[in-house]
Amino acid sequence: MFDYSVLNVFIGLVFIFLIYSLFASAVQESLATIVQRRANTLYKGISTMLSNTPVRSLPFWAIILEQLGVFRFFRFLKKAVKRTINVNGTLEQKLFQRSEVEKGKKDVSKIRLFDLFYEHPIIKNYGQNDYFNRPSYLLDKNFSTVLTEVIKNLDENNKSKTATFSMVRNSLETYKDRIDTEVYDILNHHFNEAAGDLDAFKYRLEKWYNDSMDRVTGWYKRNTSFILFGIGLALAFLLNIDTIEISTFLSSNKVVAEKLADMGVAAAGNPANRGDSGVTKEIYLEIKKSKDSVNTLLGLGWGDRGRKDIAFIRELKEDEPGWIKTKLNAGVQFFWKGVWLFPKEAVYDGMKQATDSIPDTVLRQHSNYITWKYIWHKTTGKKFFGFFITAMAITMGAPFWFDLLGKLVSLRNAGKALTTNPSPQKPTDAGVDFDG
């Protein structure tokens, strides 16, 4: 007989990873739209093409934060505030209008081709509005056309003229001392290879652009993996998605594992789940019907936040606040009664008479403090490793888990078919009489 109980555990885990990968991908896409990740990545790629190779100036920890999108998010907030706060330009100028020359970061004797490129009317026209003012996608032909125009127009006398090969090359040669050395060498190489043919020069620019965009796509995917890992780790902490605990629970509860595996089978049968569109209504309703047993598996929250956890209650009763926090709280209470600068003292006082549960008043008045305190109490090294596994799994993405779920479901169905329809047995010689 085919025993697929272990397979049910794997299907259940993959199903859980699929659900949260879909959710994390939706969050990531929303954030990418808000902070214009695609447009900014394209801008970074083009600026890298049209400037010298940058020297790493950030420490390693700052690079990690940059990859996770932390700095990008703060730049988005800065830009939002900049567009909102404007008192006759004074406050805005003080906060945000320090020029690159004032910072000592820009050499005014240099021409930054990528700035001129993005100031071209064709590129500006691809922006949605004054906020979403950079294109998220650019055709190779448009890149070559705009860049050729930018080089030609370095000489202001050429602005009203039709571009020719000699005109574009002479313009580049005239201003080569004000263009980044690496950029000049690359453009000069393409001019030499084009052998006097402007269309051939544009074709080589298009090939250069496409090759560079392959690398930029790799940047975007790598950054997306970092961001998904951050979202996955946050989800794991907030929703208590501990892969080790979930797999242990499934292994010891075969009925629940089979129920979760059945939901995985339903998900695998719906092609809509392969993308990042979210969990289908049918699966959600099935989870809702079975929420008493499934909530523990899906990691939906931290339960009663340790209300009857004896070890946690003992920790709260023994966690006496320090002298400084007590005095600061007393000062705040003098002006605003019932307001606690540090909830630790209020919780400590409220827990003095508690025995086997946390009082309702303490939970109600200081729910956030109790929740974070309980999460910290329960997050051991083993549990953190379970959260880490969950975050790594979410990083793999929903399409990966959907494909794997389909393969596991096919294997499970094959096992059931073997169990339901056993192979016919060969006839034996017993009871057969042969005449000599």
Side-chain angles (χ1 to χ4, degrees):
M1 182 176 181
F2 187 83
D3 183 12
Y4 47 89
S5 57
V6 176
L7 194 57
N8 285 340
V9 174
F10 279 107
I11 292 176
L13 282 174
V14 171
F15 175 60
I16 292 171
F17 293 153
L18 171 63
I19 291 175
Y20 285 111
S21 294
L22 289 167
F23 181 73
S25 296
V27 172
Q28 189 276 138
E29 284 296 322
S30 299
L31 292 175
T33 300
I34 293 172
V35 301
Q36 306 178 60
R37 275 194 66 220
R38 288 185 176 85
N40 289 333
T41 303
L42 178 62
Y43 176 80
K44 180 182 176 183
I46 292 177
S47 64
T48 302
M49 292 175 64
L50 300 179
S51 60
N52 286 337
T53 304
V55 179
R56 184 176 69 87
S57 58
L58 294 174
F60 180 74
W61 62 267
I63 293 176
I64 297 298
L65 292 179
E66 176 68 24
Q67 297 299 322
L68 288 173
V70 175
F71 294 155
R72 189 180 299 110
F73 178 72
F74 281 109
R75 285 195 294 268
F76 159 74
L77 292 180
K78 171 183 172 180
K79 192 173 183 179
V81 173
K82 177 180 175 181
R83 291 178 180 277
T84 304
I85 303 175
N86 187 2
V87 185
N88 296 326
T90 305
L91 180 58
E92 181 181 13
Q93 186 174 6
K94 287 182 179 179
L95 289 176
F96 305 112
Q97 292 298 314
R98 286 186 64 206
S99 67
E100 294 293 331
V101 178
E102 290 175 323
K103 297 176 185 177
K105 293 182 179 178
K106 183 178 179 181
D107 184 357
V108 293
S109 65
K110 288 289 185 181
I111 297 175
R112 301 204 301 183
L113 283 183
F114 63 89
D115 281 344
L116 297 177
F117 183 90
Y118 269 86
E119 288 171 5
H120 195 279
I122 292 179
I123 301 300
K124 282 186 174 180
N125 185 252
Y126 288 145
Q128 183 177 347
N129 49 46
D130 63 335
Y131 178 72
F132 295 100
N133 54 4
R134 292 174 179 171
S136 300
Y137 179 76
L138 189 65
L139 289 173
D140 51 4
K141 291 184 180 299
N142 292 331
F143 172 81
S144 64
T145 299
V146 172
L147 184 56
T148 302
E149 282 285 310
V150 166
I151 298 172
K152 182 199 76 167
N153 293 339
L154 290 176
D155 186 346
E156 294 187 358
N157 296 324
N158 295 335
K159 287 188 176 180
S160 60
K161 300 177 181 179
T162 303
T164 63
F165 184 88
S166 58
M167 182 190 300
V168 176
R169 179 151 200 177
N170 290 337
S171 181
L172 179 67
E173 292 296 330
T174 302
Y175 292 93
K176 69 177 182 179
D177 293 334
R178 296 180 62 189
I179 297 174
D180 287 341
T181 306
E182 293 180 11
V183 180
Y184 170 76
D185 290 341
I186 293 173
L187 293 174
N188 189 52
H189 168 73
H190 290 313
F191 272 121
N192 293 335
E193 293 295 320
D197 187 345
L198 185 62
D199 290 334
F201 174 70
K202 288 185 176 182
Y203 173 77
R204 295 193 64 82
L205 291 183
E206 293 166 14
K207 188 175 184 306
W208 177 37
Y209 174 76
N210 289 328
D211 292 341
S212 299
M213 287 304 106
D214 289 340
R215 188 175 72 254
V216 171
T217 301
W219 295 349
Y220 188 85
K221 290 180 178 179
R222 183 186 63 195
N223 292 345
T224 299
S225 297
F226 274 105
I227 294 171
L228 284 177
F229 178 80
I231 294 173
L233 198 59
L235 286 175
F237 271 100
L238 293 175
L239 302 179
N240 190 20
I241 316 169
D242 181 356
T243 298
I244 297 176
E245 186 176 343
I246 292 172
S247 58
T248 302
F249 183 86
L250 286 174
S251 299
S252 57
N253 293 270
K254 294 184 177 181
V255 175
V256 179
E258 184 172 5
K259 183 181 295 186
L260 195 63
D262 289 339
M263 286 190 283
V265 172
N270 190 344
N273 295 324
R274 192 183 190 283
D276 297 338
S277 58
V279 184
T280 58
K281 183 177 180 180
E282 293 78 8
I283 300 173
Y284 171 75
L285 293 176
E286 182 62 31
I287 292 173
K288 195 172 181 180
K289 286 191 296 182
S290 310
K291 64 180 180 180
D292 291 338
S293 59
V294 175
N295 274 4
T296 305
L297 302 175
L298 297 182
L300 301 180
W302 288 87
D304 58 1
R305 293 170 293 176
R307 182 172 185 175
K308 295 185 178 181
D309 189 323
I310 301 301
F312 182 56
I313 293 171
R314 188 185 308 115
E315 180 180 322
L316 291 178
K317 294 181 71 173
E318 295 174 354
D319 193 15
E320 186 175 356
W323 182 85
I324 295 177
K325 291 184 177 180
T326 302
K327 295 302 179 183
L328 289 173
N329 274 331
V332 173
Q333 290 284 311
F334 181 79
F335 294 99
W336 298 284
K337 192 172 181 60
V339 177
W340 297 87
L341 185 62
F342 300 101
K344 184 177 183 179
E345 183 183 0
V347 173
Y348 178 76
D349 292 340
M351 292 296 298
K352 287 181 178 178
Q353 305 301 324
T355 54
D356 57 351
S357 66
I358 301 175
D360 291 338
T361 54
V362 176
L363 276 175
R364 185 172 58 255
Q365 295 175 5
H366 309 287
S367 60
N368 291 334
Y369 177 81
I370 294 292
T371 300
W372 287 109
K373 190 76 175 176
Y374 184 62
I375 292 175
W376 182 258
H377 170 77
K378 297 295 291 184
T379 305
T380 60
K382 179 181 177 182
K383 196 168 190 66
F384 179 81
F385 186 61
F387 291 157
F388 180 81
I389 295 174
T390 302
M392 291 298 296
I394 290 175
T395 304
M396 301 298 292
F400 172 83
W401 293 115
F402 184 81
D403 291 340
L404 182 58
L405 182 63
K407 294 175 181 177
L408 292 175
V409 167
S410 298
L411 183 60
R412 182 176 186 257
N413 291 338
K416 280 193 171 184
L418 289 174
T419 304
T420 307
N421 302 308
S423 300
Q425 296 182 355
K426 293 176 65 175
T428 63
D429 296 342
V432 180
D433 185 20
F434 293 96
D435 288 335

